Amino acid sequence: MRIYNIIRCRSVRLTGVLSVFVLLCCSISMSAQLRISNERGGSALRKLAIAEMATTSLYVDSVDENKLVEDAIRGMLEKLDPHSSYATPKEVKAMNEPLQGNFEGIGVQFNVLEDTLLVIQTISDGPSEKVGIIAGDRFVSVNDTAIAGVKMPKEDIMKRLRGPKGTKVKIGVKRQGIDEIVYFTVTRDKIPLNTVDATYMICPGIGYIRIGSFGATTHKEFIDAVVKLQEEGRTSGSPLKDIIIDLQENGGGYLQAAAGVLGEILNDKELLVYTEGRSVRRQEYRAGGSGIFRQGRVVVLVNEFSASAAEIVAGAIQDQDRGVIVGRRTFGKGLVQRPIDLPDGSMIRLTVAHYYTPSGRCIQKPYEKGKLKDYAMDIENRYKHGEFTSADSIHLADSLKFYTLKEHRTVYGGGGIMPDVFVPLDTLKYTKYQRELSAKGIIINANLKYASKNRKSLLKKYPTFENFEQNYQVPQSLIDDIFAEGDKQKVKRPEEAEQLQKTREGITMILKALIARDLWSMTEYFRIVNAHSDVINSALEQLK
């Protein structure tokens, strides 16, 4: 009783678990609070508060109260579904930044090569480009602190380069052809984060748009991409008629961003998705927007890593009979999280509802509460069961049958979006040797060195991507260097000549794509990679 009386009397200091739960209660309606109070007498809340206060006040050793509270919250959420989670203030910032559409920094894309930051591209009209920093520059110091040759973690380098808009940072640069260190003072600014990775005319009349995630700027980026394709079509004499939307590996993002994209494709007021939960009434989302592409045909590409908002887009287009879904069954993430901000900047993301496609299919795949390991192993288990290589290995019960809204085609629930056209995973496309070389970073590091050293000569010889695509050949010496580095790092070469030749071909293709990316952009990377993609070829067959 002594501990309970202490807690009851300490009305001015609500700490730890107690303060968290008071905050949560404040977000619940008053009627719900009264119902809970009447039904339970607040016993569960008192019990938790007593346990927290007893531990912090009486435990034999000192305890970190903040960590104790965080562990308690994590423990509660881990017993629920796989997507309810807790994030620290630092994790919240890192989680939100890619979706917010911008961050504040110096505006370079970089990679770390041999313990040195190497600039891959500068953001067009960004702070670094304005002062004269160029692709291929190597950063050796930031504000007189050495960052090269000191094994500084990539995250620490980023902290030094990023900062509030308007602040200045002095960067020491080693540039090829110049012996001394060159110094630049860069004024930080807001840097856009694009979510549309690539846009180009893949065939006459057929546009390709790859969306990497759904963030705050995705809707506008999508409109800009369609406008660009329409203009290219008019200029080339082959007007844009159809589009391929690539959502492979798209892990999702903002629901509103997905709804915005769908609003440009589906007819006004058509149902896109709805949410419903135990304490959350059904809420429908319907198409709006300008409808910039409501006439031409649409093909959507998905795979096992397409999730959440990507599944909403695929499910709506399929259920409304607006287009064809090509690829493999999607991830199956159909739980709606409500963010609950806590006083210290941390956050609880609590699942409150399910996503349902227009036909009524629940996107979420089955799970058992608290069994997070089993849930995490789902993709690997699907691979082992042969689902990625054969559509016949996917067995769905008749009870999971649903029907599209216009043509009444059969579609299936049970988790994820089943494609209309199945494209098996080519498990033989890349050899084990190539995968191991890639995993150790040998291929990407060889590319970074080569592109940095030869950038000027390559751009002089191949002033346009079209010229590069048609005429550039990856030098054999670069492949030999990769194999030699593999030997040095004890990556065993295959004994079969066929496997070795297949590895050469695979590495040659990916190197050409990476070099094109470093010379131009991600669009050029995908232009080369897509030319060798079975999923892309299947999509083109559907349209042709």
Side-chain angles (χ1 to χ4, degrees), residues 155-171:
E155 293 74 18
D156 289 348
I157 296 174
M158 290 174 65
K159 283 180 186 176
R160 284 171 165 77
L161 293 175
R162 292 186 178 184
K165 176 182 176 180
T167 59
K168 297 182 184 297
V169 58
K170 181 183 176 184
I171 299 172

Side-chain angles (χ1 to χ4, degrees), residues 162-444:
R162 292 186 178 184
K165 176 182 176 180
T167 59
K168 297 182 184 297
V169 58
K170 181 183 176 184
I171 299 172
V173 170
K174 184 74 177 71
R175 180 170 291 175
Q176 189 175 0
I178 301 177
D179 293 334
E180 67 272 13
I181 304 298
V182 184
Y183 291 93
F184 297 90
T185 298
V186 184
T187 303
R188 297 182 179 99
D189 203 346
K190 283 199 174 292
I191 309 300
L193 283 172
N194 294 326
T195 57
V196 171
D197 295 333
T199 304
Y200 68 99
M201 294 294 283
I202 196 167
C203 283
I206 302 175
Y208 170 88
I209 301 173
R210 181 180 176 94
I211 304 176
S213 62
F214 287 93
T217 60
T218 304
H219 183 194
K220 182 182 182 302
E221 288 180 61
F222 181 78
I223 292 174
D224 292 344
V226 174
V227 169
K228 178 186 175 186
L229 292 171
Q230 289 171 338
E231 290 175 353
E232 285 185 20
R234 282 192 292 268
T235 302
S236 66
S238 298
L240 178 67
K241 294 180 180 179
D242 311 311
I243 58 171
I244 296 172
I245 302 175
D246 191 348
L247 301 181
Q248 296 177 97
E249 283 86 44
N250 183 316
Y254 291 147
L255 168 60
Q256 293 295 347
V261 170
L262 285 169
E264 304 301 330
I265 300 170
L266 295 175
N267 292 326
D268 197 34
K269 305 301 182 184
E270 284 187 329
L271 181 62
L272 309 177
V273 66
Y274 66 91
T275 61
E276 197 167 14
R278 179 180 64 87
S279 299
V280 177
R281 286 190 231 171
R282 172 169 169 147
Q283 182 175 359
E284 296 183 349
Y285 296 83
R286 294 185 176 273
S290 60
I292 195 170
F293 196 81
R294 287 177 175 166
Q295 299 303 317
R297 293 178 297 173
V298 177
V299 173
V300 179
L301 311 183
V302 296
N303 65 7
E304 54 277 7
F305 298 111
S306 306
S308 190
E311 295 175 288
I312 289 171
V313 171
I317 288 174
Q318 188 177 55
D319 280 6
Q320 294 289 1
D321 293 296
R322 178 64 181 89
V324 178
I325 312 301
V326 174
R328 294 181 292 279
R329 181 162 69 101
T330 60
F331 183 86
K333 197 278 186 185
L335 296 175
V336 184
Q337 280 75 52
R338 175 175 293 170
I340 300 170
D341 296 317
L342 302 180
D344 62 349
S346 60
M347 176 192 290
I348 290 174
R349 288 172 54 82
L350 188 67
T351 297
V352 297
H354 287 90
Y355 286 122
Y356 295 88
T357 69
S359 68
R361 291 181 289 166
C362 180
I363 292 173
Q364 179 61 40
K365 60 188 174 185
Y367 63 88
E368 288 188 51
K369 289 182 179 179
K371 295 194 174 181
L372 302 185
K373 186 176 179 181
D374 291 348
Y375 189 80
M377 292 292 290
D378 178 65
I379 292 289
E380 185 173 338
N381 291 334
R382 285 164 60 180
Y383 176 78
K384 289 178 179 177
H385 293 156
E387 179 182 321
F388 297 163
T389 54
S390 172
D392 294 336
S393 65
I394 305 170
H395 303 289
L396 297 169
D398 287 343
S399 60
L400 298 175
K401 275 186 181 180
F402 291 79
Y403 299 95
T404 61
L405 302 186
K406 295 173 184 174
E407 297 179 9
H408 306 292
R409 296 179 299 115
T410 300
V411 289
Y412 286 91
I417 303 298
M418 283 291 297
D420 301 303
V421 179
F422 176 81
V423 181
L425 176 68
D426 185 356
T427 57
L428 302 177
K429 186 172 185 178
Y430 302 112
T431 65
K432 180 183 177 184
Y433 183 45
Q434 181 176 342
R435 289 196 298 271
E436 290 179 352
L437 290 171
S438 180
K440 286 182 174 288
I442 296 172
I443 296 174
I444 188 69

Side-chain angles (χ1 to χ4, degrees), residues 20 23-24 69-70 73-74 77 83-97 99-100 254 337-351:
V20 169
L23 180 71
L24 291 177
V69 171
E70 288 185 355
I73 296 172
R74 291 185 198 276
L77 298 178
H83 296 292
S84 289
S85 62
Y86 169 81
T88 64
K90 183 178 178 182
E91 290 168 340
V92 170
K93 184 178 179 182
M95 183 171 57
N96 288 339
E97 194 171 76
L99 298 175
Q100 288 173 342
Y254 291 147
Q337 280 75 52
R338 175 175 293 170
I340 300 170
D341 296 317
L342 302 180
D344 62 349
S346 60
M347 176 192 290
I348 290 174
R349 288 172 54 82
L350 188 67
T351 297

